[in-house]
Amino acid sequence: MPPLFSCCGCGLSIERSMATYRRLRGEVLCSTCQDKQESGQGEAGVHVLNIDHHPAQPKQQCQ
């Protein structure tokens, strides 16, 4: 079972492999945040932060 990480966009707990976590340098995104970033709602090369599609989760930013 892959470990759980917090999405950098919304704080949702998501499963990602350690290899993916290392490749992304800890800045993992859930599929919703990833879709929003890829659809052009975020600036190129910048992760979308403070997205309110999971209101029950606390907002977090990756460090």
Side-chain angles (χ1 to χ4, degrees):
M1 175 180 225
L4 294 175
F5 299 104
S6 291
C7 171
C8 289
C10 63
L12 181 72
S13 293
I14 53 176
E15 290 183 7
R16 295 293 184 266
S17 69
M18 284 302 294
T20 299
Y21 181 82
R22 289 183 189 119
R23 181 175 47 86
L24 297 174
R25 297 184 179 127
E27 296 184 10
V28 293
L29 295 172
C30 68
S31 58
T32 304
C33 291
Q34 219 168 18
D35 290 345
K36 287 186 182 273
Q37 180 182 358
E38 290 172 1
S39 71
Q41 291 182 2
E43 297 177 24
V46 178
H47 291 295
V48 177
L49 298 176
N50 298 324
I51 297 173
D52 197 22
H53 65 270
H54 302 290
Q57 299 292 327
K59 303 288 182 187
Q60 295 180 355
Q61 291 185 3
C62 293
Q63 297 176 346

